[in-house]
Amino acid sequence: MIDRVRLLDVPKMLILGGTGEAAELVRCLPKNFTPITSWAGRTKAPANLPGEVRIGGFDGADGLKAYLQENRIDVVVDATHPFAARISENAAKACTETGVPRLYFLRSTWEKQPGDEWVFADSLEDAAERVAALGRRPLLTIGRQHLNAFSGLNDVEFLVRVLEKPEAPLPLEVYQTVVGKPPIFLEGEQALFRRHSIDLLITKESGGEATYAKIEAARLEKIPVLMIRRPVPPPGDAVSSVEGALDWLSRLSA
Ligand code: NAP
């Protein structure tokens, strides 16, 4: 179980990252914390993160459990993406079995506003079945990993947003790509929608501010949004802001 004296002095904290929120949290931690930020290795870890940065998987829940024990981790903050369900399940299991306190830093969902036309899908496969009824020229912003779900659709021409130029053809029938980070500004998204005659936005229900411009742009351009619901998070304490996380940490060591 957690050693409260050690936690008060120099708590050793594992932050499961891969998100802007993880980087923000580690930069805001009180000086007495010893942070280790973990990145899966699929996306680049930001430069100049305080503390240690480790890259790569743990080899499942048992591997993560062993890591927590071997490295004498006092507390885990899971600040992974809301759709990174496997690592979050593994973290929940490993922390339960070791008694290490765990906080889920889960970014808040988007709130539907007047003018938003959202259609929810329960999974990628469900979304793929709904596409043809909603549009012919969808902007697909789900990342590259899960495009297979949309293969075999001949009567839609996807515009796929990818962070890096694909090295191999994508598993889609008819598509173009737009390479780069999503524009932060509403005007950039609106211009993209217009330039490519986009009539449907397909997105994960990721939430947060970083990619909200596309949701606003769809509202203003009167484009429906096919929204893939988040996986159900594992039970346990959860916050949706850095302030909330810092508050939880301060109560933990009080
Ligand atoms: P996932 O399906 O939940 O995880 C797959 C495997 O990747 C995990 O079992 C684990 O391997 C490893 N892993 C994931 N996050 C890790 C971390 N922070 N540190 C060390 N290992 C990690 O996750 P995913 O959807 O592939 O996402 C991978 C990473 O990209 C996550 O860290 C996530 O925060 C980030 N990300 C995901 C999305 C998204 O849409 N899914 C979007 C933006 C960023 P082992 O089992 O070997 O431990």
Side-chain angles (χ1 to χ4, degrees), residues 15-243:
I15 301 169
L16 298 168
T19 58
E21 286 87 346
E24 197 188 340
L25 175 60
V26 76
R27 290 193 175 110
C28 293
L29 277 179
K31 292 273 176 279
N32 61 320
F33 276 80
T34 306
I36 304 172
T37 311
S38 177
W39 235 251
R42 237 163 272 150
T43 51
K44 265 191 203 148
N48 305 324
L49 276 183
E52 188 184 320
V53 176
R54 67 165 300 285
I55 312 276
F58 298 93
D59 221 357
D62 287 344
L64 179 52
K65 185 178 160 184
Y67 180 91
L68 297 180
Q69 289 168 328
E70 280 159 23
N71 291 277
R72 296 178 56 80
I73 300 295
D74 296 304
V75 58
V76 171
V77 176
D78 174 2
T80 57
H81 190 272
F83 278 76
R86 188 150 21 120
I87 187 71
S88 294
E89 287 297 336
N90 290 350
K93 186 165 185 281
C95 287
T96 302
E97 289 179 9
T98 51
V100 174
R102 174 187 56 92
L103 177 69
Y104 195 7
F105 184 165
L106 180 64
R107 64 177 73 152
S108 50
T109 49
W110 296 313
E111 292 291 325
K112 196 172 176 198
Q113 303 296 322
D116 281 333
E117 193 191 327
W118 293 359
V119 176
F120 280 94
D122 290 329
S123 63
L124 290 157
E125 292 69 26
D126 184 26
E129 281 180 19
R130 291 168 186 264
V131 172
L134 294 169
R136 286 285 172 272
R137 184 74 174 125
L139 173 61
L140 189 53
T141 62
I142 60 161
R144 225 161 64 187
Q145 250 182 297
H146 304 292
L147 291 176
N148 275 330
F150 294 86
S151 66
L153 293 175
N154 294 305
D155 44 1
V156 287
E157 185 182 353
F158 291 102
L159 179 65
V160 186
R161 179 144 64 200
V162 283
L163 287 176
E164 283 159 23
K165 195 164 180 269
E167 282 161 13
L170 301 179
L172 299 170
E173 306 307 313
V174 193
Y175 70 93
Q176 285 183 314
T177 52
V178 55
V179 181
K181 284 197 170 172
I184 302 163
F185 300 110
L186 174 61
E187 294 74 16
E189 290 290 37
Q190 283 183 284
L192 179 80
F193 283 24
R194 289 181 192 173
R195 195 161 58 245
H196 292 276
S197 306
I198 295 303
D199 62 2
L200 174 67
L201 169 65
I202 306 174
T203 178
K204 293 174 178 171
E205 191 191 12
S206 300
E209 287 168 19
T211 58
Y212 187 62
K214 65 184 172 188
I215 304 296
E216 276 187 291
R219 181 189 312 138
L220 295 175
E221 297 296 312
K222 301 190 185 344
I223 290 169
V225 178
L226 182 50
M227 183 89 71
I228 301 159
R229 284 188 204 280
R230 287 178 174 193
V232 178
D237 289 356
V239 295
S240 59
S241 66
V242 170
E243 295 72 30

